[in-house]
Amino acid sequence: MNMRIHFARPVAAALLCAGLSVCLAGRLPAQAPSSAEEAAAIRRAFLHAWNGYERYAWGHDELLPLSRGHKDWYPASFLMTPVDAFDTMLLMGLTDEATRAKTLILDSLSFDRDFPVQVFEITIRLLGGLISAYQMDGDPRFLALARDLGARLLPAFRSRTGMPYRFVNLRTGAVSGPVSNPAEIGTLMLEFGTLSKLTGDQRYYDTAKRAVVALFQRRSRIGLVGSTIDVRTGAWVDKDSHVSGGIDSYYEYLLKSWLLFRDPDFGRMWDSSIAAVNRYLPDDRPTGLWYGHANMDSGERTLTHFGALDAFFAAVLAKSGDTVRAGRLMQSIYRMWTTFGIEPEELDYVTMQPVAAGYVLRPEAIESAYYLYRITGDRRYREMGRGMVDSLFRYCGAETGFAALGSVVTKEPRDQMESFFLAETLKYAYLLFAPSAALDFDAVVFNTEAHPIRRTWR
Ligand code: DMJ
């Protein structure tokens, strides 16, 4: 049975929509909802998704929104959704929900597990979530959990190069997955570095930094990195360079590690990397400015693909001060989104046809609109965000929670609601419309899972 509900149906509309006239009648409203109304609608949408989790997936990693079931990533649950969603609840003032999530986490989350986990995902979602939970809520038990997890992840870095294996057994420290990628190697610094700052144990900072430096040192003569690398030997396995999944947040963390820790080594690595990226990857086409793929040694164009994951790059450019390129890229991202009513996972930006047609509730396009709006104050970015959020609600709203799309062309639903929908997508959407006092944008650095980290140390 197809349980996806378009906003044309009153029940979903009433739950989720601020501008009811938009959704109920499927026509443009006489007047767009105010920012406060939009923020309130996004908060209701969050509650709708969370209530689905509480009812059908409590204690598990994720809700399956269509079958009303649950999914765990591993043989035991790590409470992926509650940990990821907790700081969004605090930001939205959802006190009762936050209290229930906190009790669940503190009563039942354990990392003493005899199976391998993916270092990158566990770090950005759980370590990042626990650190921001500690910083925002103040309960030292969150930090104790983060410290325990950090210690169990450290054996992953025991390779000859210092770059981490992809998987580590949390109980035994056994490692696997030697062929990794820049994102999984280079997106650990904010979490590990902050853990050191908060605990006084320098090992986390030094270990994660050593891995980033080892990766940076293996950049090509023209300054680019490839898609996959063997952490045992340091040899590149795939030399395709891009800002898409597998590399994306490596660049994000070079910049953000510089901003958060003020460690000049990260500033230098960022400056050198962004110069190479901006030399070889941008692709100015009649369809807009894009960042495509190129060979890391020659700089020659290999693919004209850009997708939902790549959309984070406008936010990073804006955060670095390059609002001109960021603004042009945001126009392209919005075009990618509006061509199909919602963005595909991957697009050929020459033909404007999807290469991978699904949409898994990803945040990056809305994240970039939020950054650009906060940094430039230009309301056009908020309007882009409004369009994206409205269509997301329209096409992905389900009776229970929100569902990914198998195809943005057919809009067929898929039984999946990843935790980043609550950690990131709805958080950035909410912050785009909430008063700026809801979160001081300049006082935090978001990890790649949208967990805000505050520099509480000197
Ligand atoms: C999230 O887990 C993070 O944003 C990560 O950097 C990329 N993929 C998802 C969201 O799309």
Side-chain angles (χ1 to χ4, degrees), residues 137 187 298 355:
D137 175 87
T187 314
S298 65
V355 178

Side-chain angles (χ1 to χ4, degrees), residues 278-349:
N278 276 335
R279 178 150 184 211
Y280 295 104
L281 300 187
D283 203 351
D284 227 323
R285 296 277 177 165
T287 54
L289 171 70
W290 307 90
Y291 278 67
H293 293 226
N295 179 279
M296 68 178 273
D297 291 324
S298 65
E300 275 168 29
R301 179 76 53 218
T302 50
L303 278 175
T304 54
H305 292 179
F306 186 94
L309 283 165
D310 310 49
F312 86 103
F313 203 62
V316 169
L317 287 171
K319 190 75 182 165
S320 77
D322 188 352
T323 50
V324 174
R325 275 199 194 84
R328 290 195 62 210
L329 187 59
M330 190 67 226
Q331 291 286 352
S332 305
I333 292 165
Y334 191 59
R335 184 169 188 169
M336 170 170 78
W337 189 291
T338 49
T339 299
F340 307 96
I342 200 155
E343 65 177 357
E345 180 71 2
E346 202 164 350
L347 171 82
D348 184 325
Y349 54 74

Side-chain angles (χ1 to χ4, degrees), residues 2-7 9 12-13 15-16 45 48 65-66 342 361 389-405 413 421:
N2 179 349
M3 294 170 75
R4 175 167 58 86
I5 290 198
H6 283 243
F7 261 1
R9 295 208 200 159
L15 270 168
L16 306 174
H48 176 66
L66 302 182
I342 200 155
L361 306 172
V389 170
D390 282 357
S391 62
L392 192 162
F393 286 0
R394 178 186 301 266
Y395 294 122
C396 303
E399 293 249 16
T400 298
F402 287 78
L405 298 178
F421 181 61

Side-chain angles (χ1 to χ4, degrees), residues 105-123:
I105 293 165
L106 295 179
D107 284 354
S108 55
L109 186 55
S110 168
F111 297 118
D112 184 20
R113 303 291 184 189
D114 189 7
F115 49 77
V117 301
Q118 193 179 355
V119 175
F120 163 78
E121 293 289 358
I122 293 295
T123 297

Side-chain angles (χ1 to χ4, degrees), residues 120-121 124-125 248-249 309 362-364 420 424 448-449:
F120 163 78
E121 293 289 358
I124 65 171
R125 299 189 199 215
D248 46 8
S249 43
L309 283 165
R362 289 201 192 280
E364 289 81 1
F420 56 66
E424 297 192 73
T448 197
E449 191 77 3

